[in-house]
Structures are given as C-alpha cells and as structure tokens.
Amino acid sequence: GENVEQHPSTLSVQEGDSAVIKCTYSDSASNYFPWYKQELGKRPQLIIDIRSNVGEKKDQRIAVTLNKTAKHFSLHITETQPEDSAVYFCAASSNYQLIWGAGTKLIIKP
Amino acid sequence: KAGVTQTPRYLIKTRGQQVTLSCSPISGHRSVSWYQQTPGQGLQFLFEYFSETQRNKGNFPGRFSGRQFSNSRSEMNVSTLELGDSALYLCASRDRGSSYNEQFFGPGTRLTVL
C-alpha cells in the first residue's frame, strides 16, 4: 500500500531562517499533497496543498514543491517566526484516502 | 458554519470496557474520517465514512468499528479496551468526499485506559 515518509522528525532553526521539511511517497497514482500544521494542544489545520499537475505553489512565507518523477514533495517556510513552532504533517492521497507522514516538530529558536 | 465537534472531550475507562465516541461534521459535509494520535506516532488512519458507507479502513483490529448516520454524524466504538488504546482520537470532515477537499478536524476526544 501507499507509504509516506517524512523527514526530519525534529527541526530546530533560528528565528528568521528558513525551514524545509521533505516527504516521499510510494504510490505513483497519488495526485494531491496537503500539508497540515498542528500547534500544541490544537487540532491540525491545512496550511497549503498542491495537486500533481503543479510543480510549485506559494502562499506568503510558505511554499510547497512537488517532484513527481522522484515522488517527493517539500514544505518551505521562509523568515520563520515564533508562531511557526508546531508539528507539521504531510500527506498524499491514494484512492480517496489521505496517507500521512509521521510529522515534523519545528522549533523556532529566538 | 459551526466547526467539527466531538463528544466527549475526555474519557477515562478501564481495560476490558468499551467506549463510543461521537463526531458531528460541518453542516453539508458527507465524509467523516477517524484518526488515532499518540505521541510520536503521528496520525494513524482508522476509517472513513461517506454517505453512511465505510469507504476506507486503516490497519486497526476489529475491536475498532464505526458507523455514520443519515445526518452524517459518525460514531466510533472500541470494544475490549487495552492500555495501548490510550490516545487522542480525532475526527475530520470534508465536503463531497473528494480527495482534493480540505479536511477539517475536530478538537478530539482524549481517551485514557487504566
């Protein structure tokens, strides 16, 4: 079945620096790749998503890139701020089901 | 629109008991998915219901079951509880059940099994 691997499991960056989280998927038929952010004690919320017919998508300080050939996609956060501290989950859709990565805990150091 | 709601928010049970959790999706959403979240284990998919039918199922034992009613509200049942079932159980709803639709999560039910 579909599998999504997410790295790193923990990422610590200086405030103002960039952060990159990477995911790889196994099912070449996957066509939708969302990213969710879960702040401590809160529910996961969608922050950005990308479909398989697009290579890159940006929304202010966040961007997602997709490489279908290599079957990997990445989340890029620029000019990180304290409110970016959270756990980030990637996912890939397969047969209506979202297959989730294990999550990355992003720590923003002041 | 009101968000996804889950009841109860907290639950304490003992081993061997059973439990039923409830999820009310956003009005108009017909798809409800259930997840188990434990520290370090991310979001483990349990099952998804769409228009009262189970459409997908994760790799959980048969002790975990669910159903969806005609108003799209969903319930999840866990029988013969084990200590390892202690977790945050999240449900999420989405419109039309398309893969492209955003999933909206509820606040979760925190289950503690003693």
Side-chain angles (χ1 to χ4, degrees), chain A residues 3-22:
Chain A
N3 182 53
V4 174
E5 294 189 359
Q6 183 172 347
H7 299 282
S9 57
T10 304
L11 178 60
S12 183
V13 301
Q14 205 71 38
E15 182 179 346
D17 288 350
S18 296
V20 181
I21 302 170
K22 298 180 180 180

PDB file of all heavy atoms in Angstrom, chain A residues 3-22:
ATOM      1  N   ASN A   3       2.734   4.528   1.131  1.00  0.00           N
ATOM      2  CA  ASN A   3       3.518   4.866   2.304  1.00  0.00           C
ATOM      3  C   ASN A   3       4.081   6.264   2.109  1.00  0.00           C
ATOM      4  O   ASN A   3       4.493   6.626   1.000  1.00  0.00           O
ATOM      5  CB  ASN A   3       4.645   3.851   2.491  1.00  0.00           C
ATOM      6  CG  ASN A   3       5.469   4.143   3.727  1.00  0.00           C
ATOM      7  OD1 ASN A   3       4.927   4.287   4.816  1.00  0.00           O
ATOM      8  ND2 ASN A   3       6.772   4.243   3.566  1.00  0.00           N
ATOM      9  N   VAL A   4       4.079   7.048   3.163  1.00  0.00           N
ATOM     10  CA  VAL A   4       4.642   8.395   3.104  1.00  0.00           C
ATOM     11  C   VAL A   4       5.690   8.524   4.207  1.00  0.00           C
ATOM     12  O   VAL A   4       5.388   8.283   5.375  1.00  0.00           O
ATOM     13  CB  VAL A   4       3.546   9.464   3.292  1.00  0.00           C
ATOM     14  CG1 VAL A   4       4.165  10.850   3.364  1.00  0.00           C
ATOM     15  CG2 VAL A   4       2.536   9.399   2.151  1.00  0.00           C
ATOM     16  N   GLU A   5       6.896   8.859   3.802  1.00  0.00           N
ATOM     17  CA  GLU A   5       7.978   9.069   4.754  1.00  0.00           C
ATOM     18  C   GLU A   5       8.270  10.559   4.875  1.00  0.00           C
ATOM     19  O   GLU A   5       8.360  11.250   3.852  1.00  0.00           O
ATOM     20  CB  GLU A   5       9.226   8.306   4.318  1.00  0.00           C
ATOM     21  CG  GLU A   5       9.061   6.801   4.363  1.00  0.00           C
ATOM     22  CD  GLU A   5      10.365   6.074   4.138  1.00  0.00           C
ATOM     23  OE1 GLU A   5      11.396   6.743   3.934  1.00  0.00           O
ATOM     24  OE2 GLU A   5      10.351   4.830   4.150  1.00  0.00           O
ATOM     25  N   GLN A   6       8.443  11.014   6.096  1.00  0.00           N
ATOM     26  CA  GLN A   6       8.643  12.438   6.341  1.00  0.00           C
ATOM     27  C   GLN A   6       9.923  12.632   7.150  1.00  0.00           C
ATOM     28  O   GLN A   6      10.159  11.939   8.134  1.00  0.00           O
ATOM     29  CB  GLN A   6       7.431  12.997   7.108  1.00  0.00           C
ATOM     30  CG  GLN A   6       7.476  14.474   7.364  1.00  0.00           C
ATOM     31  CD  GLN A   6       6.183  15.024   7.957  1.00  0.00           C
ATOM     32  OE1 GLN A   6       5.153  14.350   7.964  1.00  0.00           O
ATOM     33  NE2 GLN A   6       6.215  16.247   8.446  1.00  0.00           N
ATOM     34  N   HIS A   7      10.717  13.631   6.713  1.00  0.00           N
ATOM     35  CA  HIS A   7      11.978  13.928   7.395  1.00  0.00           C
ATOM     36  C   HIS A   7      12.227  15.437   7.414  1.00  0.00           C
ATOM     37  O   HIS A   7      11.844  16.138   6.476  1.00  0.00           O
ATOM     38  CB  HIS A   7      13.145  13.261   6.647  1.00  0.00           C
ATOM     39  CG  HIS A   7      13.048  11.779   6.592  1.00  0.00           C
ATOM     40  ND1 HIS A   7      13.372  10.977   7.652  1.00  0.00           N
ATOM     41  CD2 HIS A   7      12.622  10.966   5.606  1.00  0.00           C
ATOM     42  CE1 HIS A   7      13.169   9.728   7.315  1.00  0.00           C
ATOM     43  NE2 HIS A   7      12.713   9.686   6.080  1.00  0.00           N
ATOM     44  N   PRO A   8      12.861  15.960   8.475  1.00  0.00           N
ATOM     45  CA  PRO A   8      13.274  15.207   9.669  1.00  0.00           C
ATOM     46  C   PRO A   8      12.118  15.071  10.656  1.00  0.00           C
ATOM     47  O   PRO A   8      11.068  15.663  10.443  1.00  0.00           O
ATOM     48  CB  PRO A   8      14.374  16.111  10.237  1.00  0.00           C
ATOM     49  CG  PRO A   8      13.920  17.492   9.868  1.00  0.00           C
ATOM     50  CD  PRO A   8      13.247  17.367   8.530  1.00  0.00           C
ATOM     51  N   SER A   9      12.315  14.341  11.716  1.00  0.00           N
ATOM     52  CA  SER A   9      11.264  14.220  12.723  1.00  0.00           C
ATOM     53  C   SER A   9      11.255  15.452  13.626  1.00  0.00           C
ATOM     54  O   SER A   9      10.209  15.821  14.155  1.00  0.00           O
ATOM     55  CB  SER A   9      11.465  12.945  13.553  1.00  0.00           C
ATOM     56  OG  SER A   9      12.744  12.949  14.145  1.00  0.00           O
ATOM     57  N   THR A  10      12.410  16.067  13.799  1.00  0.00           N
ATOM     58  CA  THR A  10      12.522  17.307  14.559  1.00  0.00           C
ATOM     59  C   THR A  10      13.453  18.254  13.817  1.00  0.00           C
ATOM     60  O   THR A  10      14.476  17.821  13.289  1.00  0.00           O
ATOM     61  CB  THR A  10      13.079  17.058  15.976  1.00  0.00           C
ATOM     62  OG1 THR A  10      12.263  16.105  16.650  1.00  0.00           O
ATOM     63  CG2 THR A  10      13.101  18.355  16.781  1.00  0.00           C
ATOM     64  N   LEU A  11      13.062  19.516  13.755  1.00  0.00           N
ATOM     65  CA  LEU A  11      13.864  20.517  13.061  1.00  0.00           C
ATOM     66  C   LEU A  11      13.910  21.774  13.920  1.00  0.00           C
ATOM     67  O   LEU A  11      12.867  22.319  14.291  1.00  0.00           O
ATOM     68  CB  LEU A  11      13.242  20.831  11.694  1.00  0.00           C
ATOM     69  CG  LEU A  11      13.909  21.889  10.822  1.00  0.00           C
ATOM     70  CD1 LEU A  11      15.344  21.481  10.513  1.00  0.00           C
ATOM     71  CD2 LEU A  11      13.115  22.098   9.542  1.00  0.00           C
ATOM     72  N   SER A  12      15.114  22.198  14.235  1.00  0.00           N
ATOM     73  CA  SER A  12      15.303  23.391  15.044  1.00  0.00           C
ATOM     74  C   SER A  12      16.020  24.445  14.205  1.00  0.00           C
ATOM     75  O   SER A  12      17.101  24.172  13.690  1.00  0.00           O
ATOM     76  CB  SER A  12      16.121  23.039  16.293  1.00  0.00           C
ATOM     77  OG  SER A  12      16.256  24.162  17.128  1.00  0.00           O
ATOM     78  N   VAL A  13      15.410  25.609  14.059  1.00  0.00           N
ATOM     79  CA  VAL A  13      16.002  26.678  13.252  1.00  0.00           C
ATOM     80  C   VAL A  13      15.960  27.986  14.018  1.00  0.00           C
ATOM     81  O   VAL A  13      15.112  28.192  14.899  1.00  0.00           O
ATOM     82  CB  VAL A  13      15.294  26.853  11.887  1.00  0.00           C
ATOM     83  CG1 VAL A  13      15.353  25.571  11.080  1.00  0.00           C
ATOM     84  CG2 VAL A  13      13.874  27.335  12.064  1.00  0.00           C
ATOM     85  N   GLN A  14      16.888  28.862  13.673  1.00  0.00           N
ATOM     86  CA  GLN A  14      16.931  30.191  14.280  1.00  0.00           C
ATOM     87  C   GLN A  14      15.805  31.042  13.695  1.00  0.00           C
ATOM     88  O   GLN A  14      15.522  30.971  12.475  1.00  0.00           O
ATOM     89  CB  GLN A  14      18.295  30.831  13.974  1.00  0.00           C
ATOM     90  CG  GLN A  14      18.741  31.880  14.959  1.00  0.00           C
ATOM     91  CD  GLN A  14      19.128  31.279  16.313  1.00  0.00           C
ATOM     92  OE1 GLN A  14      19.725  30.199  16.397  1.00  0.00           O
ATOM     93  NE2 GLN A  14      18.791  31.988  17.375  1.00  0.00           N
ATOM     94  N   GLU A  15      15.189  31.833  14.529  1.00  0.00           N
ATOM     95  CA  GLU A  15      14.146  32.734  14.052  1.00  0.00           C
ATOM     96  C   GLU A  15      14.691  33.585  12.906  1.00  0.00           C
ATOM     97  O   GLU A  15      15.784  34.131  12.994  1.00  0.00           O
ATOM     98  CB  GLU A  15      13.671  33.632  15.192  1.00  0.00           C
ATOM     99  CG  GLU A  15      12.555  34.580  14.812  1.00  0.00           C
ATOM    100  CD  GLU A  15      12.090  35.432  15.990  1.00  0.00           C
ATOM    101  OE1 GLU A  15      12.455  35.106  17.156  1.00  0.00           O
ATOM    102  OE2 GLU A  15      11.379  36.421  15.770  1.00  0.00           O
ATOM    103  N   GLY A  16      13.924  33.648  11.841  1.00  0.00           N
ATOM    104  CA  GLY A  16      14.338  34.412  10.673  1.00  0.00           C
ATOM    105  C   GLY A  16      14.954  33.557   9.584  1.00  0.00           C
ATOM    106  O   GLY A  16      14.997  33.966   8.415  1.00  0.00           O
ATOM    107  N   ASP A  17      15.433  32.365   9.967  1.00  0.00           N
ATOM    108  CA  ASP A  17      15.989  31.447   8.966  1.00  0.00           C
ATOM    109  C   ASP A  17      14.871  30.681   8.272  1.00  0.00           C
ATOM    110  O   ASP A  17      13.703  30.783   8.646  1.00  0.00           O
ATOM    111  CB  ASP A  17      16.961  30.471   9.628  1.00  0.00           C
ATOM    112  CG  ASP A  17      18.252  31.141  10.038  1.00  0.00           C
ATOM    113  OD1 ASP A  17      18.474  32.315   9.648  1.00  0.00           O
ATOM    114  OD2 ASP A  17      19.043  30.490  10.764  1.00  0.00           O
ATOM    115  N   SER A  18      15.267  29.900   7.255  1.00  0.00           N
ATOM    116  CA  SER A  18      14.298  29.088   6.518  1.00  0.00           C
ATOM    117  C   SER A  18      14.254  27.666   7.066  1.00  0.00           C
ATOM    118  O   SER A  18      15.227  27.192   7.668  1.00  0.00           O
ATOM    119  CB  SER A  18      14.673  29.046   5.027  1.00  0.00           C
ATOM    120  OG  SER A  18      14.590  30.331   4.453  1.00  0.00           O
ATOM    121  N   ALA A  19      13.131  27.012   6.857  1.00  0.00           N
ATOM    122  CA  ALA A  19      12.955  25.614   7.272  1.00  0.00           C
ATOM    123  C   ALA A  19      12.426  24.817   6.087  1.00  0.00           C
ATOM    124  O   ALA A  19      11.577  25.319   5.332  1.00  0.00           O
ATOM    125  CB  ALA A  19      11.984  25.518   8.434  1.00  0.00           C
ATOM    126  N   VAL A  20      12.940  23.611   5.933  1.00  0.00           N
ATOM    127  CA  VAL A  20      12.497  22.743   4.841  1.00  0.00           C
ATOM    128  C   VAL A  20      12.170  21.360   5.401  1.00  0.00           C
ATOM    129  O   VAL A  20      12.979  20.764   6.117  1.00  0.00           O
ATOM    130  CB  VAL A  20      13.570  22.590   3.740  1.00  0.00           C
ATOM    131  CG1 VAL A  20      13.057  21.685   2.615  1.00  0.00           C
ATOM    132  CG2 VAL A  20      13.967  23.955   3.190  1.00  0.00           C
ATOM    133  N   ILE A  21      11.002  20.873   5.084  1.00  0.00           N
ATOM    134  CA  ILE A  21      10.562  19.539   5.510  1.00  0.00           C
ATOM    135  C   ILE A  21      10.270  18.739   4.246  1.00  0.00           C
ATOM    136  O   ILE A  21       9.609  19.241   3.334  1.00  0.00           O
ATOM    137  CB  ILE A  21       9.303  19.626   6.391  1.00  0.00           C
ATOM    138  CG1 ILE A  21       9.566  20.504   7.613  1.00  0.00           C
ATOM    139  CG2 ILE A  21       8.859  18.228   6.824  1.00  0.00           C
ATOM    140  CD1 ILE A  21       8.313  20.839   8.418  1.00  0.00           C
ATOM    141  N   LYS A  22      10.749  17.493   4.219  1.00  0.00           N
ATOM    142  CA  LYS A  22      10.637  16.700   2.995  1.00  0.00           C
ATOM    143  C   LYS A  22       9.815  15.437   3.219  1.00  0.00           C
ATOM    144  O   LYS A  22       9.886  14.809   4.279  1.00  0.00           O
ATOM    145  CB  LYS A  22      12.036  16.321   2.501  1.00  0.00           C
ATOM    146  CG  LYS A  22      12.896  17.519   2.146  1.00  0.00           C
ATOM    147  CD  LYS A  22      14.266  17.106   1.661  1.00  0.00           C
ATOM    148  CE  LYS A  22      15.096  18.343   1.307  1.00  0.00           C
ATOM    149  NZ  LYS A  22      16.445  17.985   0.823  1.00  0.00           N
TER     150      LYS A  22
END
